[in-house]
């Protein structure tokens, strides 16, 4: 019995992942113009897959398409950061709480944390950090909740890329990640959720002091802060 060959990614997907990687690692900066002909030449494809990739990226909020300015990488400001992180503050701690209460495996989160610690460049560390957070909320038992958080992942990563460029804070965040994982591994669902809430909130407030947040404080089972 012959094995089924792995499908080759389409040219659009190839271009999509390539542009996204450049944006999220800071190679393409907020406000920078994305010219179809230039990108097509860089990726060795026609303009069609580039155009389709840019449309998809516009749908995820990473790029902006304007009749007058063309396509540009989305600008990051305090308002944008607040909107994205409000969603994370409202949903991500609750997802983690459910993951812990379900006693779901945390192996993927441990692996991502190790990769982040061993990363040799910003891009690798950024991707590992994103996977760490995702590994905490995906096993929450509510696929819709996981998909909702997935929808803001790219925009949150864009905010992070801008913040890290101005103030690298990898070591502090790594320490906070380890504490969140420790609490989760010990089965402290509310403690892990509170630590995650504080971690997310402190990051955006340090990076964008004018952003503020509207999300409420994470509460325990007894309803107390």
């Amino acid at each position: 019995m012959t094995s089924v060959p792995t499908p080759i990614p389409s040219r659009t997907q190839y271009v999509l992942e390539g542009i996204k990687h450049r944006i999220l690692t800071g190679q393409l900066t907020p406000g920078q113009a994305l010219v179809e002909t230039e990108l097509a030449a860089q990726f060795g494809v026609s303009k069609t897959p580039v155009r389709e990739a840019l449309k998809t990226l516009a749908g995820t909020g990473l790029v902006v398409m304007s009749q007058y300015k063309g396509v540009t990488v989305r600008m990051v400001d305090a308002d944008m950061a607040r909107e994205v992180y409000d969603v994370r503050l409202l949903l991500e701690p609750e997802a983690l709480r459910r993951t812990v209460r379900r006693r779901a495996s945390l192996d993927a989160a441990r692996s991502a944390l190790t990769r982040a610690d061993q990363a040799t460049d910003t891009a690798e560390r950024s991707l590992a950090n994103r996977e760490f957070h995702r590994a905490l909320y995906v096993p929450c038992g509510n696929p819709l909740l996981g998909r909702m958080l997935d929808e803001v992942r790219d925009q949150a990563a864009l905010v992070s890329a801008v913040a890290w460029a101005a103030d690298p804070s990898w070591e502090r965040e790594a320490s906070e990640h380890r504490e969140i994982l420790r609490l989760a591994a010990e089965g402290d669902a509310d403690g892990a959720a509170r630590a995650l809430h504080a971690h997310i909130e402190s990051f955006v407030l340090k990076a964008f002091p004018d952003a503020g947040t509207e999300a409420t404080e994470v509460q325990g089972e007894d309803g107390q802060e």
Side-chain angles (χ1 to χ4, degrees):
M1 183 176 178
T2 58
S3 59
V4 178
T6 302
I8 299 174
S10 68
R11 291 184 178 181
T12 298
Q13 187 65 28
Y14 165 68
V15 174
L16 172 65
E17 294 302 326
I19 297 174
K20 180 191 292 187
H21 181 79
R22 293 183 185 186
I23 292 174
L24 298 182
T25 56
Q27 297 176 57
L28 293 171
T29 58
Q32 184 171 341
L34 301 175
V35 182
E36 287 183 10
T37 52
E38 294 178 359
L39 290 170
Q42 292 171 15
F43 287 103
V45 298
S46 67
K47 290 195 298 183
T48 299
V50 172
R51 186 177 303 116
E52 293 304 313
L54 292 176
K55 288 180 181 177
T56 300
L57 290 170
T60 65
L62 282 184
V63 306
V64 176
M65 307 185 87
S66 168
Q67 180 179 353
Y68 304 102
K69 295 183 179 179
V71 184
T72 57
V73 179
R74 183 173 181 178
M75 294 294 294
V76 175
D77 57 19
D79 287 339
M80 184 266 201
R82 186 194 65 247
E83 291 172 3
V84 172
Y85 274 71
D86 271 351
V87 173
R88 291 188 65 191
L89 284 167
L90 288 165
L91 300 181
E92 203 166 324
E94 176 59 26
L96 173 57
R97 180 185 286 110
R98 296 185 180 200
T99 293
V100 176
R101 288 177 176 169
R102 295 180 71 239
R103 298 183 180 180
S105 173
L106 298 171
D107 289 347
R110 291 190 184 93
S111 178
L113 191 58
T114 298
R115 290 199 306 275
D117 288 339
Q118 297 174 346
T120 57
D121 59 50
T122 300
E124 186 179 358
R125 189 180 293 111
S126 176
L127 291 173
N129 279 345
R130 293 179 71 205
E131 287 307 311
F132 172 78
H133 279 271
R134 189 170 192 273
L136 294 179
Y137 68 70
V138 164
C140 70
N142 185 328
L144 177 58
L145 179 55
R147 289 196 296 272
M148 291 172 69
L149 283 164
D150 274 348
E151 287 183 4
V152 299
R153 281 183 84 216
D154 289 344
Q155 294 179 57
L158 179 57
V159 173
S160 297
V162 171
W164 286 325
D167 177 26
S169 53
W170 302 109
E171 292 185 5
R172 181 183 68 244
E173 289 163 43
S175 176
E176 293 172 357
H177 283 174
R178 284 189 284 271
E179 176 63 9
I180 292 166
L181 185 58
R182 181 188 70 80
L183 291 166
E186 291 179 354
D188 186 351
D190 291 325
R194 283 192 294 269
L196 179 58
H197 185 282
H199 167 70
I200 295 172
E201 185 174 49
S202 65
F203 177 82
V204 73
L205 290 178
K206 288 172 183 174
F208 301 90
D210 296 330
T213 52
E214 297 174 1
T216 58
E217 187 72 22
V218 175
Q219 298 180 341
E221 286 184 313
D222 58 358
Q224 299 299 311
E225 294 184 357

